[in-house]
Structure formats: structure tokens, C-alpha cells
Amino acid sequence: MEMRRVGVYGVLWESGRVLVVRDRSLGVWRLAGGAVAHAEHPEHAVVREVSRQTGLTVAVDRLRAVVADVTTYPEDDVALHTDRLAFDLSVRGGALRDAVDGPTDRARWLAPAEVARLPLAPFSAELLGLPVTPLPTGAHRPGEPFPPVHPDRRLRFGAYGLVTDPAGRILLTQIADGYPGAGMWHLPGGGTDHGEQPTTGLLRELVEEGGQLGRVVELLGVDNLHNPAALGPEGRPLDWHGVRVIYRVLVDVPTDAVVTESAGGSTARAGWFTPSQAADLLLTGIAASAIGQLGR
């Protein structure tokens, strides 16, 4: 069975040392953080989890990186895809302490050389620029049972692009009938596939929805969408939680915008627009927010 979740993690530095925590059941060290709850904004989740695990009050500075990985649990017949968002955080108060309950039992400020000698979760090693080594035997077992799948809740992780060409035009896509937001103009992009990296999924969607070849040049941020009664192709209202990361994408050699995905997709058409033309369109919230960042 394929399952997905979104994890959030904090990168905090103090006097050349980085904050890491130890998993209580596995004995593996990692960046502080945990899973995003249903409908929860990832920025709120990372502040909550870091505070719970370390005693520190923190604030989000920026979204640092987004990666994805898949871990298999043969005993449970589960392949778990985790989209991991790492945020640069700053300490605003509190005092470092070990967690008294929950998934972690130790919290420490350590120099990178000290962290490199610990059994370290691969995603944390990668984000910190440290060598990635295999975990000890048994370190992949789940710390707690997998929750049952909720019949009416859906999690959708997507990657979207603020796509421009050398002339400064913006590529937008129009949502097709039968989908939430039908008729509105949206950022190119969409949900990533199981096992797919966010940037890979975005560039795939850019070809499918606009017929363009682009390159990702910057990670802009993350948008959270909760629609407790979304009515789409499923034919009944569902409680949707969407976590959407946004990248800046450049198309060096633009062509006519053409929807190439198969009939019945969520995109009706695509087009290139100047910023002034885009301002006159009926835009989705995420599109309006991203376009507002141009020129900053």
C-alpha cells in the first residue's frame, strides 16, 4: 500500500553548532521536527514540533529546501512517501531541554563534526551537507503504528511554478470545468507522484500543462490550502488538505503555450501574459500571491 505524509524540520544554528534531536525508539539523530497534521500550515507545524521537542520558542525565517523519499515497511506492506520541508529558524526564547514524551528523548547543540559521528537520518545529513551513510539495522521500523486511512480526507502535495520567460511574461494555466476553481487562472504545476521529487514533478507538469521546457532557479515558499468540502471529479465532497511549494522557473526559449496532457485533465488552456495583462485575470490565491513577488 502506498501512503504519503508531509514532514517539517527546523535548521537552527548557534555559535557554529546545529540543533539535533534523537529519536526515542530508533536511536537515530535528526533535525527537530515531525509530521504536519491535517489542515495544518507547515510553518505552524514546524514551530509546534520544534518547541515540543526542544523547549525553544522559534520563528520561521525562510523555507530552505524540499526533498522527498520513500521508505518501505515490508511487515506492514507499506511504502511511505514523505515530502520533507526544511525551514531556517531563529530562536526567540525558551531554554533547551530534552523532551519528556513524544518521538524524541534528547536535544543537543552540536558541531557539524560531532553530528557526523552520530547515526544520522539521511535526509538530515543531506540538508546539513554531511556524508550520507546507511542507518543501523532496524532503524527503518516505524516508531508507531500507521494510522488508518480516513475515508473522507485527502492530502495532496504539489509543486507549482512562477514561470517567466526572458521578456518577463508569465505563464498561467486555466482550471478546467469540474475542478475546484474552474475558470480561474493558476500557476503551472500540480500534485507530485508517489516517489517523485518536487522539482521533477513541477517540470513534468510544465510540459503537460504548457508545452514548455523550463529550469528551476529558486525556491520561493510554501502555500497551505484547506478545503473541508471540495467537490471535484470524485462526485462527493471531500476534506482536502493541500501543501503546495512554489518555485521560480525560467523558460529560456518560450514557445506557444499548449496543453499536452490527455483529455479530461484539470487544465483547460494555458497562455503567456505580461504582468499588466495578468493583473486583469481572475487569479487563484496562490497565483496572485506569487505574481506579487515579482520585482521584489
Side-chain angles (χ1 to χ4, degrees):
M1 177 173 58
E2 294 182 348
M3 298 183 67
R4 294 192 68 156
R5 73 167 187 167
V6 177
V8 288
Y9 304 89
V11 182
L12 294 99
W13 291 90
E14 178 186 78
S15 303
R17 300 176 300 167
V18 67
L19 181 64
V20 290
V21 297
R22 192 180 75 161
D23 188 283
R24 184 183 302 274
S25 62
L26 306 181
V28 174
W29 293 78
R30 60 173 173 79
L31 296 170
V36 175
H38 183 72
E40 185 178 30
H41 195 295
E43 292 185 358
H44 299 163
V46 73
V47 169
R48 169 180 57 78
E49 283 294 319
V50 171
S51 176
R52 180 167 73 111
Q53 295 172 11
T54 70
L56 300 174
T57 302
V58 298
V60 173
D61 295 328
R62 71 181 181 101
L63 179 59
R64 178 191 185 99
V66 185
V67 296
D69 55 67
V70 177
T71 303
T72 58
Y73 300 94
E75 298 84 358
D76 301 282
D77 190 28
V78 168
L80 177 63
H81 173 123
T82 304
D83 294 291
R84 304 184 191 272
L85 284 66
F87 294 89
D88 284 328
L89 306 179
S90 54
V91 178
R92 297 300 176 87
L96 186 66
R97 55 145 178 82
D98 294 334
V100 296
D101 57 14
T104 64
D105 62 359
R106 293 186 187 177
R108 299 288 186 271
W109 293 106
L110 297 175
E114 295 175 296
V115 177
R117 292 193 292 268
L118 298 172
L120 188 62
F123 78 89
S124 294
E126 180 181 356
L127 289 169
L128 294 174
L130 296 173
V132 178
T133 57
L135 291 176
T137 302
H140 286 295
R141 67 183 185 277
E144 54 189 35
F146 290 104
V149 177
H150 196 288
D152 296 316
R153 286 182 177 176
R154 297 291 187 274
L155 170 65
R156 188 170 189 261
F157 184 89
Y160 292 82
L162 176 57
V163 181
T164 59
D165 69 1
R169 295 184 302 169
I170 304 164
L171 181 69
L172 295 170
T173 61
Q174 190 175 45
I175 301 173
D177 291 341
Y179 290 83
M184 301 183 76
W185 289 90
H186 197 30
L187 296 179
T192 59
D193 293 336
H194 195 274
E196 188 174 47
Q197 294 293 333
T199 51
T200 303
L202 170 56
L203 295 180
R204 171 182 54 76
E205 290 278 352
L206 182 57
V207 172
E208 294 175 357
E209 295 183 345
Q212 308 297 312
L213 297 177
R215 56 186 176 93
V216 175
V217 296
E218 184 183 4
L219 176 60
L220 296 178
V222 59
D223 173 83
N224 192 71
L225 175 67
H226 179 223
N227 189 337
L231 184 61
E234 297 83 9
R236 62 188 179 93
L238 294 173
D239 186 352
W240 277 95
H241 178 203
V243 175
R244 307 180 292 186
V245 291
I246 308 163
Y247 296 87
R248 186 185 295 273
V249 179
L250 181 62
V251 174
D252 295 296
V253 184
T255 59
D256 290 340
V258 177
V259 179
T260 63
E261 62 182 343
S262 60
S266 60
T267 303
R269 57 185 174 132
W272 287 103
F273 301 92
T274 66
S276 61
Q277 290 172 329
D280 293 330
L281 298 175
L282 181 60
L283 300 172
T284 62
I286 189 176
S289 175
I291 291 172
Q293 297 185 52
L294 281 174
R296 291 186 181 178

